[in-house]
Amino acid sequence: MDPLELLGHPVRLRIVHALRGGRELTTGELGERIADVSKATLYRHVELLAEGGILEVAEERRVRGAVERRFRLRQERASITPEQLEQLTTDDHRRAFAVAMAALVAEFNTYLDHEDADPLTDLVGYRQHGIWLSEDELHQLIEGMRSAILPALSNEAAPGRSRYLLSPILFPARTSEARCPGCEPAGSGRCGSGGIPSRRTP
C-alpha cells in the first residue's frame, strides 16, 4: 500500500495520531488509548502500518516468553507530500475527508466516555465560522494559524501538559452566489459594499 492508502482508514489514522509527538508505544499501550477497537483489529492495522514503513520498531524485549515490540512513527512517511496532494482527485478528497471525520468522531467519543471528561474545564471547542476573505486575507489567515500551531508540535510530554487533538479544517462554503452580498453580477469587477469580489464564478 502507498502512504495515501495506508493513512486512508480511521483506525490507522488514530494509531498515527496516538504516536505523534515522538511517542513510542506497544500494541498493548495503543489498545489502552484506542479501547473501542478490538485487539485483533488493532494488531492487524499496526502490522499494516509497519509493513508500509509508516511505523518502525523502536525496541524489542522478551516478556514472559513473548517478544514485545515498541513502535514509533516515521514522521517523514506519515504525511502527504505536496506532490501527492496534487494528484488527488475529487473522489480522493471526499474519501480522505470522510476517514478524517470518522477518526475525529471516534477520538471525541473516546474522550467523552472517560469518567473524567469535562468539556467546559478542558476548553473543548468545535465551533464553525463563516468568514469572507480575499485571497491575500486567506493566505494571511493560514500563515497565522501555522505560526501559532507549528511551535507547539515540537512539545514533548511533560508534567503539567495534556495531549490535545487539533484538527484545522478550511474550505470554501459554496452558496448560490460565490461573492459578497454587495457585489455586482459576476464578472463585472464591481463591488457595492467595498469588498473584493471572488475570482470564482458561482
Side-chain angles (χ1 to χ4, degrees):
M1 291 187 191
D2 62 27
L4 282 172
E5 191 174 354
L6 280 168
L7 295 172
H9 190 284
V11 173
R12 294 197 287 273
L13 197 55
R14 293 175 69 190
I15 292 170
V16 169
H17 286 329
L19 287 165
R20 288 201 186 279
R23 303 175 93 184
E24 297 179 359
L25 301 172
T26 65
T27 47
E29 290 168 336
L30 282 167
E32 294 172 3
R33 289 159 174 79
I34 311 176
D36 55 307
V37 175
S38 72
K39 287 184 178 179
T41 298
L42 186 69
Y43 280 40
R44 184 171 68 253
H45 287 298
V46 167
E47 288 301 320
L48 282 171
L49 288 169
E51 289 170 6
I54 289 178
L55 302 186
E56 65 182 359
V57 177
E59 179 188 1
E60 284 186 346
R61 64 178 185 136
R62 271 197 183 276
V63 178
R64 294 188 292 276
V67 176
E68 179 186 76
R69 295 186 293 173
R70 190 169 290 276
F71 293 92
R72 66 175 163 231
L73 198 61
R74 293 180 63 190
Q75 297 288 348
E76 74 282 1
R77 295 275 296 169
S79 58
I80 308 304
T81 66
E83 292 75 23
Q84 289 171 324
L85 277 175
E86 290 178 359
Q87 296 173 10
L88 294 183
T89 66
T90 300
D91 283 340
D92 288 334
H93 280 286
R94 201 184 309 277
R95 285 190 293 269
F97 189 80
V99 167
M101 292 302 98
L104 195 58
V105 168
E107 293 282 5
F108 192 59
N109 284 332
T110 297
Y111 159 73
L112 290 177
D113 288 341
H114 196 278
E115 60 182 13
D116 295 332
D118 187 343
L120 187 62
T121 301
D122 293 337
L123 302 178
V124 170
Y126 43 86
R127 296 177 182 173
Q128 291 180 317
H129 304 279
I131 53 178
W132 291 91
L133 299 168
S134 69
E135 187 170 354
D136 285 344
E137 290 167 337
L138 174 61
H139 285 288
Q140 288 171 12
L141 176 67
I142 293 172
E143 189 55 41
M145 292 169 65
R146 284 177 177 160
S147 297
I149 295 170
L150 284 176
L153 294 181
S154 60
N155 287 352
E156 297 181 355
R161 280 182 177 162
S162 297
R163 184 172 171 268
Y164 289 83
L165 189 59
L166 180 64
S167 301
I169 299 170
L170 177 71
F171 57 86
R174 292 298 187 197
T175 60
S176 59
E177 294 189 6
R179 59 181 183 273
C180 71
C183 286
E184 297 289 338
S188 69
R190 296 189 299 275
C191 177
S193 64
I196 301 176
S198 171
R199 296 193 306 173
R200 302 182 179 93
T201 55

